[in-house]
Amino acid sequence: MTDLTSLTLAEARDGLAGKQFTALELTDAFLAAIEQANPSLNAYVAVTADQARAMARISGNTLAKGKGRALEGIPLGIKDLFATKGVHTQACSQVLDGFKPTYESTVTQNLWDAGAVMLGKLNMDEFAMGSSNETSYYGPVVNPWRASGKNADLVPGGSSGGSATAVAASLCLGATATDTGGSIRQPAALTGTVGIKPTYGRCSRWGVVAFASSLDQAGPIAKTVRDAAILLKAMASHDPKDTTSADLPVPDYEAALGKGIKGLKVGVPKEYRIDGMPAEIEKLWQQGIDWLKAAGATIHEVSLPHTKLALPAYYIVAPAEASSNLARYDGMRYGLRVPGKDLIETYEKSRAQGFGKEVKRRIIIGTYVLSAGYYDAYYLQAQKVRTLIKRDFDEAYQKVDVLLTPATPNAAFPLRSMSNDPIQMYLNDIFTVTVNMAGLPGIAVPAGLAPDGLPLGLQLIGKAFDEETLFRAAEVIEQAAGRFPVSNRWWTGAAPGKSRKTS
Amino acid sequence: MPATPRPAPVSARLQGATGPWELVIGLEVHAQVASNAKLFSGASTGFGAPPNSHVSLVDAAMPGMLPVINKECVAQAIRTGLGLKAQINLMSTFDRKNYFYPDLPQGYQISQFKQPVVGEGVVVLDMADGEIEVGIERLHLEQDAGKSLHDQHPDYSYVDLNRSGVALMEIVSKPDMRSAEEAKAYVTKLRTILRYLGTCDGDMEKGNLRADVNVSVRRPGEPFGTRCEIKNVNSIRFIGQAIEAEARRQIDIKEDGGAIVQETRLYDPNKGETRSMRSKEEAHDYRYFPDPDLLPLEFTQSYVDGLAKGLPELPDAKRARFIKDGLSPYDASVLVAEKANADFFELVAKDRDGKMSANWVINELFGRLNKEGLDVGASPMSAKQLGGIIDLIASGSISGKIAKDLFEIVWTEGGDPARLVEERGLKQVTDLGAIEKAVDDIIAANPDKVEQVKLKPTALGWFVGAVMKSTGGKANPAAVNEILKKKLGIV
């Protein structure tokens, strides 16, 4: 029998419907894979095996009656940022030590309502602040990929490093993730998986631990474009509990696939051709242009003149909001409390111990840029930049339907190689943050391998609420480039290339 | 503020050792919005519930929770703005005011800093020497905090979050008041307007209406001085006392050659003085910024117009109508001060003489209620009963004197006034034969008085009194007068 964990979500769905295997068999296969892999990869911070099996049994009954819902019996991993009732929900921070909510986030509730099975909670950068998954209180996630002929552990990207690794290493059929400045797309690109950050407002933020409210958006990381389309359809909804969620119907994204891109106008923003861009990224980008052209799209150079201001402005807006959003972690009502001699000292000790270095750095930056006398110079300026960035995109979309850019400026890098250089680390998001600043949808799709054998991704950026075009165009790249499953499953102890069968 | 701020009336000046001083006062009133649910959560706003029983996940600031605006609170703010004849802003925004305190679970208060829902308006005060106008700077919506309890445990403070997230309207006046009397009149009038509108119950004992008072002093004609803010004063009487105490403190400092330091102070009603809470240097940096969880608050002019149509008659309009209906300005002011009083009066005055009704409501009923420490809602006498008494006077069935006795009976025993008059034989005697007989008897028994009254017609009063006495007060006084005059030959 085929290794069930190697299936795509769509294949598993069809296999379940065709009764080739049961939902419980599928879930058990993933639980076994997690048990084997997690000591090496550290993708899961909590495994909910009993719950998973109970959900799988229910799905099994539903499937047996032929009444399977969209994700019936599909085992998923959930980023630790999503509130899951009665289950570990700590944003991978010590400050939320022991916190188990009494409520379920709207996004995860939507998934369970569609029949999905929860395998557990996935590792991430603390409060989603990071681009390497090294800021987690639970330790770094290790990328399942290794450079050819090397054994050095690489980062999976962040902040959804656990989600990306779990999908790439076949420890779930898909994962929820969130993206504030690139936290879905960058780790997807660094692990050879597909990740889409939908339009701001497409998925409810209710029950998702907030980092930067005006930028945070949930989305899936999946093995294929089709899987991502299936997952996003299930995750998205209008939610009256989140007034920033969009009151728009959610299209059937899977139905948009296979329609090709003939006549699609693809823009190539010249400002993304940055100094010192590695040759392989340049090459990959050109390759993507050629594939889309070959599929019938027309290519147009466009200008997004304020692109270079996006990253600095992002590192004002996001920390400003975070400094306020994270004020509630004060040791008073839940999570960690380190008692001091009085109230102020209890605040200080709880927050000093509860937050990691990167989170503290951003709280301090955010507090500073909102302070009296600095607000106008920093926060207000950043908001103006944001308006200009939105205008750039509005103008570009007068001429084109979608934009094609690299997803990241580099492939996966070794663990701890950047963690002492925050600026270098922040530059990982250079191609992704503009999309958050403008509230637009963006998808990262694997498009090739670097010379050292590590995966690289391309990014497609769409018009607001036009995720369908992104899926259509991403599928064209996926078909041209082929898929990039991890070839060396080193964590299984098996010989390279031998452990994985393809169906 | 006006280019030449209104000078204080000379009578309102405070005398210092070195000459007269003027007060300049502005108020920030926090009024709890009358609504069933909190500003951003569905939790109840009920008063007096066990601690932490009215707390939603949003109020407790659990991770991932989001605020959703309560539309009824917005409608109440708009109604209040309309009642203050204020600019209603069709687009306003919510900001976060950031600070740490255990009764503030989010670590920030959601408020409206830059663009409030209501802009400039006006409140008219009736002072002894005429009307004055107090400008409204703005009205905005914000969340209340929870309550810290410091007396529940020897080592810990407890926090009750029932109030956390309850909607408040902060109503900011311009610095247009010049005396403690004016400030008290302003809060009183504002409270009256809010209660008429039904947008705040104005209950200061429950903390549902409280004021931050800004006070400065200056020499007459000089520009504004440095102000101090007295926080959280929770009764109208204390507002007056706090202003007087603070003004005296500032005058003493200035007369001793010192300067006022801008700071936040607290009023201690036991000591009758204000004391420093924190100075400007210690003031929080609240780091206001737009709340990214909330979209701008937007509504249409037609929505506002719809709310305007549903507004009740407000005190100024009601007062004008009462005066038009024949009441004195004083009576009209007394009646409109409390909506329940005005409503009671209108029930009594319906189809009856307004002035007479006002006299009976104000002098007899309110006088008696006051004496007993009751408000009109707890009156043992209904509007129907009081109206019944007035009807009996108007129809000549009883005299004014009997009416007062009847009032006493109805107050203590209850019952229908008309029936009581019948049952107890209180009915005025208008049977001329009976009166004539009584008059004849008095005249026959008092020949000396008859002689006197012929010389001095004003002595008729003695005869009237005697006849009334002999008829138990039930004789119609007009008829008595007429018959007496005829029989005694007085023209």
Side-chain angles (χ1 to χ4, degrees):
Chain A
M1 186 171 167
T2 306
D3 173 9
L4 293 179
T5 65
S6 70
L7 300 173
T8 67
L9 188 153
E11 288 164 354
R13 176 185 65 184
D14 299 344
L16 286 167
K19 302 196 165 50
Q20 293 164 35
F21 45 84
T22 68
L24 189 57
E25 286 167 350
L26 185 65
T27 287
D28 278 334
F30 279 102
L31 290 172
I34 294 166
E35 195 174 339
Q36 181 183 44
N38 216 43
S40 309
L41 302 180
N42 198 27
Y44 282 84
V45 293
V47 179
T48 52
D50 293 344
Q51 202 167 326
R53 290 194 182 97
M55 291 170 101
R57 280 190 198 97
I58 292 168
S59 285
N61 293 336
T62 313
L63 285 161
K65 290 180 207 149
K67 288 184 178 170
R69 294 160 288 179
L71 292 174
E72 198 70 65
I74 299 295
L76 301 177
I78 303 299
K79 189 177 183 180
D80 200 33
L81 207 62
F82 293 82
T84 43
K85 193 173 176 177
V87 173
H88 187 288
T89 299
Q90 295 179 25
C92 286
S93 177
Q94 193 190 356
V95 89
L96 275 166
D97 228 13
F99 181 67
K100 290 187 168 80
T102 58
Y103 47 93
E104 186 78 30
S105 80
T106 300
V107 163
T108 49
Q109 190 61 51
N110 287 345
L111 293 171
W112 315 143
D113 289 346
V117 168
M118 177 167 69
L119 292 167
K121 300 304 285 288
L122 293 164
N123 206 342
M124 55 182 281
D125 279 302
E126 184 182 6
F127 281 105
M129 297 178 191
S131 303
S132 65
N133 214 124
E134 292 170 288
T135 71
S136 167
Y137 175 59
Y138 297 93
V141 178
V142 174
N143 195 325
W145 288 83
R146 281 178 170 174
S148 313
K150 295 203 172 139
N151 287 330
D153 282 344
L154 305 178
V155 303
S159 68
S160 308
S163 304
T165 283
V167 172
S170 294
L171 308 181
C172 59
L173 282 173
T176 66
T178 61
D179 189 319
T180 304
S183 282
I184 290 176
R185 291 158 290 159
Q186 185 253 13
L190 267 48
T191 56
T193 54
V194 177
I196 179 165
K197 180 204 95 73
T199 313
Y200 183 79
R202 188 55 105 178
C203 290
S204 169
R205 294 186 294 112
W206 194 88
V208 183
V209 175
F211 160 15
S213 311
S214 74
L215 302 160
D216 295 345
Q217 185 57 208
I221 291 179
K223 289 183 177 179
T224 66
V225 173
R226 178 173 299 272
D227 289 0
I230 295 167
L231 281 168
L232 181 59
K233 163 82 178 152
M235 290 168 71
S237 65
H238 170 239
D239 184 0
K241 290 187 286 187
D242 173 5
T243 52
T244 63
S245 95
D247 190 2
L248 291 172
V250 179
D252 183 350
Y253 297 119
E254 196 181 6
L257 298 176
K259 290 187 177 165
I261 55 163
K262 207 163 173 50
L264 189 74
K265 287 178 271 181
V266 177
V268 177
K270 61 180 182 187
E271 288 80 7
Y272 281 57
R273 220 169 284 281
I274 52 169
D275 290 342
M277 187 189 272
E280 65 258 31
I281 301 288
E282 190 103 34
K283 205 177 123 202
L284 185 85
W285 195 5
Q286 187 54 51
Q287 178 68 74
I289 291 167
D290 295 344
W291 283 329
L292 295 178
K293 207 190 285 183
T298 57
I299 308 298
H300 310 264
E301 189 182 82
V302 295
S303 175
L304 300 171
H306 298 93
T307 298
K308 65 176 189 303
L309 299 177
L311 196 68
Y314 171 86
Y315 274 98
I316 290 168
V317 174
E321 294 183 14
S323 72
S324 177
N325 282 336
L326 271 58
R328 65 188 57 198
Y329 307 109
D330 58 3
M332 294 295 128
R333 296 172 308 290
Y334 45 76
L336 182 75
R337 178 191 294 188
V338 183
K341 68 177 187 317
D342 56 18
L343 174 67
I344 299 294
E345 200 183 276
T346 302
Y347 278 153
E348 288 171 352
K349 286 186 160 179
S350 301
R351 289 170 66 84
Q353 187 178 321
F355 292 132
K357 203 169 88 178
E358 181 61 26
V359 172
K360 281 180 203 157
R361 178 172 11 244
R362 298 200 195 188
I363 289 174
I364 291 167
I365 292 170
T367 304
Y368 179 81
V369 300
L370 290 177
S371 309
Y374 298 95
Y375 180 89
D376 290 357
Y378 291 100
Y379 185 79
L380 213 56
Q381 283 295 105
Q383 290 293 22
K384 286 181 190 163
V385 167
R386 203 169 170 182
T387 305
L388 294 172
I389 289 168
K390 282 182 191 159
R391 192 180 303 163
D392 284 357
F393 280 104
D394 286 345
E395 280 171 21
Y397 287 132
Q398 300 289 318
K399 287 180 267 178
V400 300
D401 304 312
V402 68
L403 301 169
L404 179 73
T405 77
T408 59
N410 45 256
F413 44 92
L415 223 58
R416 284 175 284 277
S417 63
M418 279 192 206
S419 40
N420 288 323
D421 185 351
I423 301 291
Q424 189 62 33
M425 188 69 91
Y426 295 169
L427 283 169
N428 265 279
D429 295 331
I430 190 143
F431 298 132
T432 48
V433 288
T434 47
V435 178
N436 299 77
M437 294 290 268
L440 298 172
I443 191 168
V445 58
L449 297 176
D452 58 2
L454 294 174
L456 294 170
L458 286 171
Q459 173 178 235
L460 290 153
I461 305 168
K463 296 177 181 172
F465 299 105
D466 186 18
E467 287 85 3
E468 287 165 290
T469 299
L470 293 188
F471 285 122
R472 274 165 58 210
E475 190 191 30
V476 168
I477 292 173
E478 184 180 58
Q479 282 169 354
R483 282 187 50 216
F484 298 89
V486 178
S487 54
N488 172 8
R489 292 167 67 88
W490 49 268
W491 62 90
T492 63
K498 289 281 173 69
S499 66
R500 188 173 179 283
K501 293 178 222 159
T502 45
S503 50
Chain B
M1 78 191 62
T4 46
R6 187 173 65 85
V10 174
S11 64
R13 288 178 183 171
L14 290 182
Q15 282 302 322
T18 60
W21 294 87
E22 269 185 17
L23 274 66
V24 175
I25 302 154
L27 281 95
E28 293 165 24
V29 170
H30 293 86
Q32 182 177 327
V33 175
S35 67
N36 295 324
K38 296 182 179 181
L39 183 54
F40 295 112
S41 82
S44 163
T45 56
F47 181 80
N52 296 312
S53 60
H54 290 170
V55 185
S56 75
L57 296 168
V58 175
D59 306 325
M62 301 305 279
M65 291 301 98
L66 298 171
V68 177
I69 186 81
N70 177 343
K71 292 194 174 69
E72 180 53 23
C73 294
V74 176
Q76 292 287 54
I78 296 170
R79 287 186 189 109
T80 306
L82 292 168
L84 301 174
K85 302 180 189 72
Q87 166 76 33
I88 307 297
N89 295 323
L90 301 182
M91 202 283 277
S92 62
T93 52
F94 287 100
D95 300 278
R96 293 184 183 177
K97 179 182 180 177
N98 294 282
Y99 65 95
F100 284 94
Y101 204 68
D103 64 17
L104 187 76
Q106 293 169 138
Y108 54 84
Q109 177 195 36
I110 305 177
S111 181
Q112 297 193 290
F113 181 58
K114 283 209 167 143
Q115 292 164 290
V117 64
V118 175
E120 293 190 340
V122 67
V123 172
V124 179
L125 309 183
D126 303 309
M127 302 306 293
D129 35 7
E131 285 189 351
I132 62 166
E133 290 193 349
V134 175
I136 298 294
E137 179 74 37
R138 57 185 279 159
L139 175 156
H140 67 252
L141 282 166
E142 63 183 28
Q143 297 176 299
D144 204 351
K147 196 168 128 196
S148 296
L149 308 166
H150 300 296
D151 54 359
Q152 307 284 308
H153 189 281
D155 302 322
Y156 292 95
S157 290
Y158 288 2
V159 175
D160 175 7
L161 295 179
N162 282 352
R163 283 194 91 98
S164 166
V166 165
L168 301 178
M169 294 178 283
E170 180 171 325
I171 303 166
V172 183
S173 85
K174 299 194 173 184
D176 285 354
M177 286 152 279
R178 298 290 175 266
S179 68
E181 283 313 308
E182 289 181 6
K184 284 159 71 178
Y186 167 76
V187 177
T188 305
K189 184 63 178 288
L190 186 60
R191 191 170 69 144
T192 301
I193 294 171
L194 295 171
R195 289 163 76 136
Y196 268 67
L197 291 165
T199 56
C200 170
D201 68 12
D203 190 333
M204 297 186 85
E205 276 177 24
K206 289 179 185 163
N208 295 352
L209 190 81
R210 48 195 197 264
D212 298 342
V213 187
N214 285 286
V215 180
S216 65
V217 298
R218 62 175 177 184
R219 293 289 192 190
E222 282 186 357
F224 290 152
T226 303
R227 67 189 164 85
C228 289
E229 182 181 16
I230 311 161
K231 277 279 180 200
N232 239 345
V233 191
N234 61 5
S235 88
I236 290 173
R237 193 159 58 95
F238 290 163
I239 288 171
Q241 291 173 1
I243 290 169
E244 303 271 0
E246 176 61 15
R248 281 287 162 204
R249 186 188 72 86
Q250 293 186 15
I251 290 169
D252 288 350
I253 291 172
K254 288 196 169 186
E255 293 197 328
D256 288 348
I260 304 304
V261 181
Q262 186 178 336
E263 61 182 355
T264 303
R265 301 181 68 84
L266 279 177
Y267 177 64
D268 181 343
N270 296 320
K271 292 187 179 162
E273 62 185 32
T274 67
R275 62 167 186 272
S276 181
M277 197 173 148
R278 55 176 182 260
S279 71
K280 194 180 175 188
E281 287 71 35
E282 295 168 289
H284 292 118
D285 180 352
Y286 290 118
R287 291 170 284 124
Y288 283 101
F289 77 108
D291 191 322
D293 285 332
L294 290 159
L295 301 172
L297 179 58
E298 290 179 278
F299 42 80
T300 60
Q301 185 59 46
S302 68
Y303 176 68
V304 177
D305 295 343
L307 292 173
K309 281 200 189 84
L311 288 189
E313 184 184 35
L314 290 173
D316 288 350
K318 199 182 281 288
R319 180 172 176 273
R321 180 165 60 82
F322 285 178
I323 292 171
K324 201 168 140 261
D325 290 349
L327 269 59
S328 70
Y330 176 80
D331 283 357
S333 295
V334 169
L335 288 170
V336 301
E338 290 287 346
K339 184 167 184 292
N341 292 353
D343 289 348
F344 189 95
F345 164 72
E346 296 217 64
L347 283 174
V348 174
K350 192 169 160 23
D351 302 326
R352 299 192 179 96
D353 179 65
K355 194 155 171 45
M356 188 176 185
S357 301
N359 281 339
W360 277 89
V361 168
I362 295 170
N363 298 327
E364 301 307 321
L365 183 73
F366 291 173
R368 187 58 181 270
L369 288 169
N370 248 336
K371 207 168 126 194
E372 311 265 331
L374 299 172
D375 63 37
V376 74
S379 169
M381 186 181 297
S382 69
K384 197 179 162 201
Q385 287 171 313
L386 184 56
I389 296 173
I390 295 168
D391 289 343
L392 290 164
I393 304 166
S395 68
S397 296
I398 57 171
S399 63
K401 183 181 171 301
I402 295 290
K404 291 194 180 178
D405 298 341
L406 179 60
F407 181 95
E408 188 60 34
I409 295 166
V410 175
W411 177 277
T412 47
E413 302 173 29
D416 173 42
R419 183 180 298 170
L420 284 166
V421 164
E422 288 293 336
E423 285 171 2
R424 308 209 178 177
L426 298 171
K427 197 157 182 165
Q428 190 158 255
V429 178
T430 43
D431 173 353
L432 295 182
I435 295 173
E436 249 177 272
K437 189 182 176 304
V439 168
D440 290 345
D441 291 351
I442 298 289
I443 288 175
N446 296 283
D448 53 330
K449 298 278 180 194
V450 174
E451 286 311 311
Q452 279 180 23
V453 81
K454 283 180 175 162
L455 298 170
K456 190 181 168 212
T458 49
L460 185 68
W462 180 88
F463 284 90
V464 175
V467 174
M468 294 304 284
K469 196 174 169 193
S470 79
T471 57
K474 287 179 282 179
N476 182 322
V480 172
N481 255 299
E482 199 177 315
I483 292 166
L484 273 169
K485 282 181 181 172
K486 199 173 76 190
K487 301 241 171 199
L488 292 169
I490 297 166
V491 186

